[in-house]
Amino acid sequence: MALGVYITFRILDFPDLTVDGSYTTGGAVTAMMITHGHSPVIATLCAFICGLAAGACTGLLHTKGKINGLLAGILMMIALYSINLRLMGRPNISLLRSDTLFSAISDNRAAFILVLVAMVLVAKLLLDAFLHTDLGLALRATGDNARMIRSLGANTDTAKILGASLSNGLVALSGALIAQEGGFADIASGVGTIVLGLASVIIGEAIFGFRSVFQATLAVVLGSVAYRIIHALALRIDLLDASDLKIMTALIVIAALVIPTARRAIRQKSLARRRTEELLGGAGNQGGRA
């Protein structure tokens, strides 16, 4: 999920609120197909494809409909709520008695963790490989300077649609896996997904840096883990309880945004002060010699 948010937030340079809906879409499609007797693998792939379609709709609204990217995401998120509810037929679907991707290893915690780590690494490495292809480079260039890449003959609309599709496909895949791991799909499961994704991206970049594509995607993955650790530690404070989940998320994101900015400001002021002292010292020495 964090990797999907990274594509729109960092590469395309806008936070796509579609992910709040596409996350639920992934869980809804998977739960519906599994409960109707389909293979968990096929259900998960279909969830990924539905996420791609949702992202493509957002991209089309933004590029062809000339709607602001943030507003296009909000509109698609609202539409997906009704679509997800129609898909599920009810607010939630239980998967506790159904076979899922994790049924065979649900009782073996070590195997479960290894499988999840392997899946995350595969997704990360595939995304790294894609971002180094011609399409991936066009996508990155579109986010950096769309006007320049258009002057070179690239189709920025296609790149934006592709980026939004891939982002929401990964988010829907995350929703599908979480639904199977948790044993249910819920219509409200995607609320706040964009905030969690942004927190993972920002914390990862603040702690681990983002000098290259490989390092940036690794920072996002580690940032999602760091966010969960910080969140769990925060909830251990006696004054807080589970109902404070949202405000803790907001405070963590605010801290992750403000602290790096404050550090840069302090560093710049220190550098400016040092240069001023050097200039004054040099002027004083010249005056003394005169």
Side-chain angles (χ1 to χ4, degrees):
M1 183 269 290
L3 289 172
V5 172
Y6 166 76
I7 293 173
T8 51
F9 180 60
R10 276 295 180 242
I11 296 180
L12 290 180
D13 197 27
F14 77 93
D16 181 15
L17 294 182
T18 310
V19 301
D20 277 22
S22 59
Y23 180 89
T24 306
T25 299
V29 170
T30 302
M32 181 191 67
M33 293 188 68
I34 289 177
T35 53
H36 282 77
H38 294 279
S39 166
V41 176
I42 299 299
T44 304
L45 289 176
C46 287
F48 177 70
I49 293 171
C50 288
L52 292 176
C57 290
T58 301
L60 288 170
L61 288 174
H62 175 46
T63 57
K64 306 305 181 183
K66 304 303 179 184
I67 299 175
N68 176 270
L70 187 61
L71 180 56
I74 293 173
L75 293 173
M76 198 61 205
M77 175 188 67
I78 294 171
L80 282 174
Y81 183 88
S82 295
I83 293 172
N84 294 334
L85 196 55
R86 178 62 67 91
L87 284 172
M88 296 171 67
R90 53 186 184 275
N92 54 70
I93 298 176
S94 175
L95 293 173
L96 293 177
R97 297 183 180 181
S98 303
D99 289 333
T100 67
L101 289 176
F102 306 112
S103 295
I105 57 173
S106 59
D107 296 330
N108 189 333
R109 184 170 295 274
F112 182 76
I113 294 174
L114 287 175
V115 168
L116 288 182
V117 170
M119 294 174 72
V120 170
L121 288 178
V122 168
K124 179 217 177 307
L125 294 175
L126 287 176
L127 180 59
D128 289 348
F130 168 74
L131 291 176
H132 283 91
T133 63
D134 289 343
L135 274 176
L137 291 171
L139 179 65
R140 292 159 58 190
T142 298
D144 287 337
N145 193 329
R147 183 176 297 178
M148 183 197 71
I149 196 67
R150 277 196 300 268
S151 68
L152 297 176
N155 190 329
T156 56
D157 286 355
T158 300
K160 290 178 181 179
I161 294 170
L162 177 63
S165 297
L166 183 57
S167 170
N168 284 279
L170 289 172
V171 173
L173 179 61
S174 172
L177 295 175
I178 290 296
Q180 294 178 73
E181 188 273 335
F184 70 97
D186 189 86
I187 191 65
S189 60
V191 176
T193 299
I194 182 65
V195 178
L196 301 180
L198 292 176
S200 300
V201 172
I202 294 166
I203 291 173
E205 290 180 348
I207 297 176
F208 304 104
F210 50 99
R211 296 181 180 178
S212 64
V213 170
F214 180 86
Q215 186 177 359
T217 53
L218 180 61
V220 170
V221 172
L222 296 178
S224 65
V225 178
Y227 166 77
R228 286 299 180 184
I229 293 174
I230 295 170
H231 193 272
L233 292 175
L235 289 179
R236 289 180 175 271
I237 300 174
D238 294 335
L239 297 177
L240 301 174
D241 53 38
S243 63
D244 297 321
L245 174 65
K246 298 300 182 182
I247 191 172
M248 284 307 309
T249 299
L251 291 174
I252 291 170
V253 174
I254 291 170
L257 285 169
V258 171
I259 291 174
T261 303
R263 288 172 58 189
R264 283 195 298 271
I266 293 171
R267 193 180 303 116
Q268 289 173 355
K269 287 182 179 180
S270 176
L271 181 61
R273 190 182 303 111
R274 188 161 55 250
R275 287 179 176 176
T276 301
E277 292 173 353
E278 291 175 355
L279 290 173
L280 291 175
N285 291 333
Q286 291 179 359
R289 286 197 297 271

